[in-house]
Amino acid sequence: MDTSQDDLRCGLCGQTVNPRHEQHHEEPVVGSTGKRVEYVVVELRGASALFQAADAPSRIRQTGAADLAEQLEIDLPDLLGRHYTCWETPGEYGGVFRSGFQLA
């Protein structure tokens, strides 16, 4: 299977992977902006996992289910109802970078 660098996508945000992009997903240093947030997976819909913040269930977000399972090092069928945390760092234009995924 031949995959070029242009075809590689980030499992966290879906952006094309390049050296500049990789630095956005590194574990933050002490004193940097950002915070650790707890989420729960509320639904699996096709290839997507829908999740919400444990302390703010009114806003549901989605991500690739297989990518999330890989980040959490669990099997795909075990995602539903799973609580996890990740480090959120504000990005440009209102975006958020998530890294440091851990089971809660």
Side-chain angles (χ1 to χ4, degrees):
M1 177 188 242
D2 181 29
T3 56
S4 67
Q5 182 70 14
D6 294 335
D7 294 333
L8 297 176
R9 297 280 179 185
C10 176
L12 299 174
C13 67
Q15 299 286 330
T16 302
V17 175
N18 61 37
R20 183 172 178 223
H21 176 264
E22 290 295 317
Q23 69 186 348
H24 293 293
H25 291 299
E26 292 176 357
E27 196 64 32
V29 294
V30 175
S32 67
T33 60
K35 61 182 177 178
R36 185 158 287 280
V37 179
E38 181 177 348
Y39 288 105
V40 61
V41 178
V42 295
E43 185 177 347
L44 296 177
R45 186 181 297 167
S48 297
L50 280 65
F51 62 97
Q52 63 191 23
D55 63 348
S58 63
R59 186 168 175 199
I60 295 178
R61 298 172 184 93
Q62 71 178 11
T63 190
D67 294 331
L68 181 58
E70 184 177 329
Q71 289 289 330
L72 295 173
E73 299 178 350
I74 62 173
D75 293 328
L76 188 60
D78 295 334
L79 272 178
L80 189 59
R82 183 68 69 163
H83 286 254
Y84 67 93
T85 65
C86 64
W87 186 263
E88 286 192 349
T89 305
E92 295 180 36
Y93 310 110
V96 175
F97 295 104
R98 293 181 179 93
S99 63
F101 289 76
Q102 299 175 351
L103 292 173

